[in-house]
Amino acid sequence: MADSVFAHVVRAPEDPILGVTVAYNKDSSPVKVNLGVGAYRTEEGKPLVLNVVRRAEQMLVNDTSRVKEYLSITGLADFNKLSAKLIFGADSPAIKENRVTTVQCLSGTGSLRVGAEFLARHYHEHTIYIPQPTWGNHPKIFTLAGLSVKYYRYYDPATRGLDFQGLLDDLTAAPSGAIVLLHACAHNPTGVDPTIDQWEKIRKLMRSKGLLPFFDSAYQGFASGNLDADAQSVRMFVADGGECLAAQSYAKNMGLYGERVGALSIVCKDSNVASKVESQLKMVIRPMYSNPPIHGASIVATILKDRQMYDEWTVELKAMADRIISMRQQLYDAMQARGTPGDWSHIIKQIGMFTFTGLNVEQVSFMTREYHIYMTSDGRISMAGLSSRTVPHLADAMHAAVTRTA
Ligand SMILES: Cc1ncc(COP(=O)(O)O)c(C=O)c1O
């Protein structure tokens, strides 16, 4: 038999985040814990489907008038309108003035990709500044879409907080018109967000230099438990009348990970521009995947348009956020109780799904080897994967890693 025509293909490395789960699945230890992947787990360590999502799905199934026709290229119209209201606020002037175009995309990742391709085709500046560090998929998404990726300083390892001056200096040095990727809240992987005051300074600087904001909103409501509070950064930039892009994901805040439901909005100066922009977004989407799937967007629209279901969602969302916040406290208390050297207050100061522990590559591999705890090599742990039962084991592992490795 002749060799395969693909024999020369070189094996690609595992995705650094999803690869953690691959390694975890291979471990037969009963005490193993997976803190790698960014998905919510209950106190019992199980994935969660929200009650309100189950109820919406039941309603959709029972409605025999529903059919499975293709959606339009831009997706479900109700879903798009409701998603824009959710992120920009119900009384947003930009929405009232019809200068926002929103298209349904394949979760947060797909929304970022469609936005990036649109910018590569129609925006004059092809450089996008992304925070250092950032979600590992960002540089790949933007590079493949045809943008040129540069970094701005974001995290200061010394304080385990924001390198605000570094951020301002790097954005000041960016060429006018450059695109800037901003995490709307719950920065991944650091859990470090600017304060409102700092956001205001970033906004002023960016507007004065004509830098174009591209918000990635993967955690609205999941960070603080409050949907409005978590959208404040975005709303500040929209309130000044300027233009911006926003990618929304319903993976975390509605637990719709595998349904791949999200939206890309582009806020424009006027409605005429917005409608031309939308016509070109269709040109990006049609040859890419033609049109988005119907089920997840129908679930979201069902929940967002019904007052009672919306309220029920906010209660369930807050419960997820609160459980994560309580895990932070429990882990911090456990570190204090063990007298682990160092300042661990960043565990309770950081926000959202992840804690950027400050543990180094060696300490991480020590914890995996000796304690069967799995996390990304940058020391990021998913607080959503922790429970009261696993906190003591993690604290033991962290204590040992800090005191027994160099
Ligand atoms: C910062 C950030 N952006 C975007 C996403 C995209 O997620 P999805 O495509 O599942 O909505 C994630 C998921 O982990 C994320 O952390």
Side-chain angles (χ1 to χ4, degrees), residues 250-273:
Y250 289 96
K252 327 280 165 159
N253 60 11
M254 251 187 226
L256 292 176
Y257 306 90
E259 296 292 354
R260 311 308 294 147
V261 54
L264 169 74
S265 287
I266 305 190
V267 179
C268 305
K269 279 278 162 95
D270 63 52
S271 60
N272 182 38
V273 174

Side-chain angles (χ1 to χ4, degrees), residues 130-207:
I130 65 177
Q132 178 68 272
T134 191
W135 180 48
N137 219 7
H138 278 150
K140 300 173 201 166
I141 292 171
F142 296 126
T143 305
L144 280 173
L147 298 175
S148 151
V149 170
K150 290 217 167 105
Y151 287 87
Y152 61 87
R153 274 171 283 174
Y154 190 84
Y155 176 77
D156 181 356
T159 62
R160 291 176 185 164
L162 186 68
D163 181 357
F164 189 52
Q165 196 52 50
L167 179 154
L168 293 180
D169 290 349
D170 289 349
L171 295 190
T172 302
S176 133
I179 309 155
V180 180
L181 190 274
L182 300 161
H183 295 226
C185 69
H187 181 274
N188 176 8
T190 67
V192 173
D193 285 349
T195 62
I196 290 300
D197 217 39
Q198 289 169 331
W199 272 121
E200 180 54 16
K201 293 195 170 86
I202 296 168
R203 187 194 65 77
K204 277 202 181 122
L205 170 65
M206 285 183 56
R207 291 309 193 200

Side-chain angles (χ1 to χ4, degrees), residues 27-237:
D27 187 334
S28 58
S29 165
V31 299
K32 67 179 180 177
V33 186
N34 185 2
L35 303 176
V37 72
Y40 184 80
R41 296 287 178 266
T42 63
E43 197 31 49
E44 293 71 43
K46 298 273 186 306
L48 178 69
V49 179
L50 301 185
N51 287 326
V52 72
V53 166
R54 291 261 191 237
R55 203 146 73 77
E57 284 192 305
Q58 208 56 61
M59 287 164 64
L60 294 170
V61 168
N62 292 343
D63 181 354
T64 51
S65 71
R66 288 178 55 76
V67 291
K68 302 280 190 191
E69 292 290 286
Y70 290 126
L71 287 179
S72 68
I73 299 174
T74 54
L76 194 66
D78 267 0
F79 166 85
N80 288 337
K81 273 198 209 104
L82 292 159
S83 294
K85 262 172 70 173
L86 186 70
I87 190 156
F88 300 122
D91 51 3
S92 165
I95 296 177
K96 288 198 182 121
E97 291 155 16
N98 250 334
R99 52 189 181 81
V100 183
T101 168
T102 304
V103 294
Q104 179 193 332
C105 295
L106 299 173
S107 212
T109 307
S111 307
L112 291 165
R113 177 67 189 254
V114 169
E117 295 234 3
F118 169 81
L119 291 171
R121 287 191 204 179
H122 300 285
Y123 186 61
H124 68 277
E125 173 58 72
H126 283 183
T127 307
I128 183 162
Y129 282 76
I130 65 177
Q132 178 68 272
T134 191
W135 180 48
N137 219 7
H138 278 150
K140 300 173 201 166
I141 292 171
F142 296 126
T143 305
L144 280 173
L147 298 175
S148 151
V149 170
K150 290 217 167 105
Y151 287 87
Y152 61 87
R153 274 171 283 174
Y154 190 84
Y155 176 77
D156 181 356
T159 62
R160 291 176 185 164
L162 186 68
D163 181 357
F164 189 52
Q165 196 52 50
L167 179 154
L168 293 180
D169 290 349
D170 289 349
L171 295 190
T172 302
S176 133
I179 309 155
V180 180
L181 190 274
L182 300 161
H183 295 226
C185 69
H187 181 274
N188 176 8
T190 67
V192 173
D193 285 349
T195 62
I196 290 300
D197 217 39
Q198 289 169 331
W199 272 121
E200 180 54 16
K201 293 195 170 86
I202 296 168
R203 187 194 65 77
K204 277 202 181 122
L205 170 65
M206 285 183 56
R207 291 309 193 200
S208 76
K209 288 198 51 129
L211 301 173
L212 182 65
F214 192 164
F215 281 98
D216 181 2
S217 177
Y219 298 94
Q220 189 184 353
F222 207 87
S224 70
N226 183 308
L227 286 156
D228 293 317
D230 289 352
Q232 226 179 326
S233 57
V234 179
R235 291 179 191 175
M236 287 164 74
F237 278 75

Side-chain angles (χ1 to χ4, degrees), residues 269-282:
K269 279 278 162 95
D270 63 52
S271 60
N272 182 38
V273 174
S275 87
K276 288 192 289 183
V277 165
E278 182 163 313
S279 74
Q280 288 295 343
L281 286 173
K282 288 192 206 170

